[in-house]
Amino acid sequence: TRGDGGQNVIGPELGDALGAIRTEELLAARRLDGGRQYFTRAYDFGFSKNAEETAKHWPRDSILGDAVTVIRAFRPHVIYSIWTGTRADGHGHHEYAGQIARAAFDAAADTVRFPADKFGPPWTPLKFYRRGPGGITLPVNDYDPVLGETYAAIAADSRSQHRSQGFGGIALGSIVPGAGGRGFFGSIRLEASRVGSDDPKMDKGIFDGIDTSFARLVAEAPPP
């Protein structure tokens, strides 16, 4: 969503006006972290207790179609959902988003349900992850000598753009390279794979089983 139903700690704007502010905050954050921002047609109607309540306001086929359209346009090999799709997400919108993420992974190649002329050429993502223990650990606060910052510092700068929500902070290890710049880890867990076992214990890395060499580009290139 664009955050239309949230609170505003920097001014009186609410509803559509707040949605416009938060849209610009999201775009500002992406300019810092290099991500690409997409939106569905879902409207933030405020706090929701669970996904069932959210579904009363957000038609599933429409929202799922939006997600499938983005996947087909972006063509990712790996999809990661920060939300689990369960009550543990603590907010009906988040729970619903976690469920839609997996449904979109499953449906992105289905041209019967989502015809190519309306939703774009089909695409088959290969692996689906969620946040959670028991999977792969990632050094999220490593220092990148090319960027000159830790990844956590970049994330903190990006998050600080969400001023209407009062977000912000300094990442540990972001001031002096090497001073706390290592030892902070995030964990993601494999849930589905089309290139091998779905068992998280067998998964060696996000791109495990996926051809990331130039050979795949040559194979997919049009004839000279």
Side-chain angles (χ1 to χ4, degrees):
T1 74
R2 297 176 183 269
D4 323 76
Q7 302 299 311
N8 185 359
V9 302
I10 61 172
E13 296 85 359
L14 295 173
D16 291 345
L18 177 59
I21 290 173
R22 289 194 173 183
T23 295
E24 292 303 319
E25 290 175 341
L26 285 162
L27 296 176
R30 298 296 80 77
R31 286 192 289 271
L32 289 174
D33 61 31
R36 300 185 188 182
Q37 183 73 50
Y38 297 92
F39 299 95
T40 70
R41 72 192 72 190
Y43 183 81
D44 181 356
F45 56 86
F47 181 76
S48 173
K49 296 185 292 294
N50 52 58
E52 289 78 16
E53 182 182 64
T54 299
K56 295 177 181 179
H57 299 267
W58 296 351
R60 183 178 176 84
D61 285 349
S62 297
I63 305 304
L64 179 56
D66 291 343
V68 166
T69 300
V70 169
I71 290 174
R72 290 182 177 182
F74 193 74
R75 298 164 65 89
H77 291 86
V78 178
I79 293 177
Y80 163 68
S81 173
I82 190 173
W83 307 118
T84 66
T86 69
R87 294 289 191 271
D89 294 329
H91 192 310
H93 294 176
H94 300 163
E95 182 182 348
Y96 186 96
Q99 295 173 5
I100 287 292
R102 176 56 195 271
F105 172 84
D106 294 334
D110 186 347
T111 55
V112 175
R113 188 176 181 186
F114 299 101
D117 60 345
K118 183 177 180 179
F119 298 93
W123 178 251
T124 304
L126 301 178
K127 301 177 78 174
F128 182 86
Y129 289 87
R130 291 195 194 274
R131 176 180 59 179
I136 300 170
T137 56
L138 304 174
V140 295
N141 202 27
D142 270 5
Y143 177 78
D144 189 309
V146 175
L147 299 175
E149 292 185 281
T150 65
Y151 302 128
I154 296 171
D157 289 343
S158 173
R159 185 175 175 82
S160 293
Q161 301 307 303
H162 298 278
R163 296 170 184 172
S164 65
Q165 299 184 67
F167 290 169
I170 298 175
L172 293 176
S174 62
I175 305 301
V176 180
R182 293 183 181 274
F184 296 90
F185 297 91
S187 182
I188 63 174
R189 183 181 179 88
L190 179 68
E191 183 173 300
S193 175
R194 295 187 171 103
V195 290
S197 172
D198 289 344
D199 185 353
K201 296 179 181 178
M202 301 295 292
D203 191 38
K204 305 302 181 184
I206 294 175
F207 299 111
D208 187 28
I210 299 175
D211 183 3
T212 58
S213 70
F214 283 106
R216 67 181 176 84
L217 301 178
V218 174
E220 296 172 2

